[in-house]
Amino acid sequence: MDELKRLRHELHKNPELSNKESGTALRLKFFLSRYRPDELIQNVGGEGLLAVYNGVEPGPNVLFRADMDALPITEINKLPYASSKEGVGHMCGHDGHMTILSGLAVQLSNKPPQRGRAMLLFQPAEETGEGAARALADLTQRGYSPDYAFALHNMPRYPSGSLLLSRETFAAASKGLVVKFMGHSSHAAEPEKGLSPALAVARTIEGLIHLSKTASGYSDYILLTIIYARLGEIAFGTTPGYAEVMATLRAFKNEDMALLTKYSEELVRKVAEEQHLRVDISYVEEFPAAVNSTEAIAYVENAAREASIPTVELVRPNGWSEDFAHFTLHCKSAIFGLGSGVDHPELHRPDYDFPDEIIEHGVNLFEGVARQLLG
Ligand SMILES: [Zn+2]
Ligand SMILES: [Zn+2]
């Protein structure tokens, strides 16, 4: 355990932003090579790392994922292992997730699986939502397509070390909607000679808010938040000819996200048509909903029971998104929470620090799942 704690502190002290996790990968490689995985593959989906432990008999490919990236947040904690980089910090606890997965490597090296293949994936670029899909495509191409996938995320506000379980959706689907209205500018004294998107912006903002509050047909929670709008330039002599409106769409179910997307697009196109504007609609930072499979989540529940880890059932899914969702679309998967403590600072805060005391529970849960599937 002391060794794992030291690894966690080393990772914490040396955080790296999304897609820049090369130093982190090197530290992990150094640690893992002492525990002799059958294979240690670098540059998976970017700076990712895959450690493989093979069983002797045939069986499933079971993947366990930890995210590697830190955030552009300056840590304010006064710790001996506080971030050594101004403006970058492990404020989401991915240092702890990587340590837990390294702990699983220690266990598997002591007692290798009987059958199948344990695949320990250290995944880059979770915070930007790019890493999971990239790593999955890469693994599939290399012939390491998983049959099962598991991940965890620490969660403040819940009892330390408890399993936080959601039987269906664990984290919401979300996407950024980008709307661009193109008219043409004119002199502010002659607005009739231009084609201003001013009214279109107003109607789009009002319409999108209204539709997310009133439209029916959804089976679960949906949310639309206007996050940005821009019209013309600060030029008092000019009638604007260009505008942008952006919103974040969220839903607990992928079907509801499809419906919310359809309604939003219909509204935007109708507004553009009425105002005789050209319109361009695009999406950024798309996350599907992370939906657990019944079979996979049962393995996690069993593992908690065997290790006497208390379980808390989440009343509702998390409103945030997780790029592990791409795995849930690919194979039988489960992602669950690990309580960081009721009084623990929230994720992404400058005073957050992953609690070392929950590392052991995380390792036990992952190992419990691995033993059920791989022996
Ligand atoms: Zn985060
Ligand atoms: Zn995170």
Side-chain angles (χ1 to χ4, degrees), residues 17 71-72 123 147 154 181 201 270 273 310 350 363:
L17 291 174
L71 288 157
Q123 179 212 296
D147 300 305
N154 79 94
F181 288 117
V201 170
K270 187 163 163 272
E273 203 184 303
V363 176

Side-chain angles (χ1 to χ4, degrees), residues 71 92 94 127 348:
L71 288 157
C92 202
H94 298 184
E127 294 288 355
H348 292 210

